């Protein structure tokens, strides 16, 4: 798999029926290693190891309803009160992040009301802080580290 713009992490891999799987520490299972999954797993480890978010507050690949449509988010980080701190949208490295990617995560956030948004293709990372009063987001250099 391609080298990404994240620190280097050690992953567990498994090969079965000529398919490589990677262990997801959040879902506690092996998942097929696709380019987007490679980015998602790096991002999960970044949130845990660099940003110090507890594993117990991170959720991966869950379904949500947006305007009666079933969608799946990549990563959500909760606050201890159950509200949502961060939504992460992961794309494969070959996908160029454009306005439609931000529109997608903004639509998800109409339902989830996260304080922060992150969009990454593993090469380029974009971070935003939501301003709900003005109904807009502001770009940041990074997302904050976990604080209790």
């Amino acid at each position: 798999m391609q080298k990404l713009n994240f620190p280097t992490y050690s992953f567990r891999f498994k090969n079965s029926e000529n398919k490589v799987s990677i262990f997801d520490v959040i879902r506690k299972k092996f998942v097929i290693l696709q380019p987007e999954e490679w980015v998602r797993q790096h991002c999960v480890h970044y949130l845990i190891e660099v940003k110090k978010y507890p594993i117990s507050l991170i959720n991966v690949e869950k379904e949500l309803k947006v305007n009666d449509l079933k969608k799946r988010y990549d990563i959500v980080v909760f606050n201890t009160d159950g509200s949502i701190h961060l939504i992460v949208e992961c794309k494969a490295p070959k996908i160029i992040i454009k306005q439609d990617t931000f529109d997608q995560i903004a639509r998800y956030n109409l339902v989830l009301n996260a304080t922060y948004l992150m969009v990454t293709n593993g090469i380029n990372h974009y971070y935003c802080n939501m301003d709900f009063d003005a109904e807009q987001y502001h770009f940041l250099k990074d997302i904050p580290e976990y604080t209790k």
Side-chain angles (χ1 to χ4, degrees), residues 26 40 44 47 53-62 64 72-79 82-89 108-109 112 114 116:
I26 304 300
R40 186 168 25 253
V44 164
L47 293 171
Y53 288 98
I55 288 176
S56 61
L57 296 178
I58 301 172
N59 216 320
V60 173
E61 282 253 289
K62 293 286 185 191
L64 72 142
R72 290 183 85 74
Y73 60 71
D74 286 305
I75 303 169
V76 163
V77 178
F78 291 92
N79 293 307
S83 63
I84 296 178
H85 179 72
L86 168 71
I87 306 172
V88 182
E89 179 62 29
Y108 290 179
N109 206 33
L112 299 174
Y116 296 96

Side-chain angles (χ1 to χ4, degrees):
M1 280 279 158
Q2 178 176 347
K3 171 102 176 81
L4 302 177
N5 189 12
F6 281 106
T8 302
Y9 302 110
S10 53
F11 296 104
R12 288 174 48 203
F13 298 98
K14 177 173 83 171
N15 198 336
S16 176
E17 299 175 15
N18 291 329
K19 290 188 177 171
V20 177
S21 296
I22 187 168
F23 188 76
D24 182 329
V25 296
I26 304 300
R27 292 178 275 184
K28 295 182 174 59
K29 67 179 186 176
F30 283 92
V31 291
I32 301 292
L33 183 55
Q34 301 284 349
E36 184 177 308
E37 191 63 47
W38 184 236
V39 173
R40 186 168 25 253
Q41 291 307 313
H42 275 79
C43 193
V44 164
H45 283 264
Y46 171 76
L47 293 171
I48 295 166
E49 297 177 31
V50 176
K51 295 299 178 179
K52 308 300 183 201
Y53 288 98
I55 288 176
S56 61
L57 296 178
I58 301 172
N59 216 320
V60 173
E61 282 253 289
K62 293 286 185 191
E63 193 174 89
L64 72 142
K65 272 192 168 181
V66 180
N67 300 326
D68 292 329
L69 297 173
K70 290 181 180 181
K71 301 287 184 182
R72 290 183 85 74
Y73 60 71
D74 286 305
I75 303 169
V76 163
V77 178
F78 291 92
N79 293 307
T80 53
D81 67 2
S83 63
I84 296 178
H85 179 72
L86 168 71
I87 306 172
V88 182
E89 179 62 29
C90 300
K91 298 293 184 191
K94 69 176 182 172
I95 303 294
I96 296 167
I97 296 172
K98 297 186 282 195
Q99 185 62 47
D100 62 336
T101 310
F102 288 99
D103 293 344
Q104 177 185 3
I105 198 169
R107 278 192 305 276
Y108 290 179
N109 206 33
L110 291 173
V111 175
L112 299 174
N113 295 316
T115 307
Y116 296 96
L117 307 177
M118 176 180 175
V119 176
T120 181
N121 62 3
I123 308 300
N124 299 300
H125 316 299
Y126 300 94
Y127 313 96
C128 304
N129 184 350
M130 292 302 300
D131 180 345
F132 291 104
D133 294 332
E135 297 181 350
Q136 61 187 9
Y137 46 83
H138 304 285
F139 283 94
L140 305 170
K141 289 187 177 162
D142 202 350
I143 51 172
E145 278 195 17
Y146 176 74
T147 55
K148 291 183 182 183

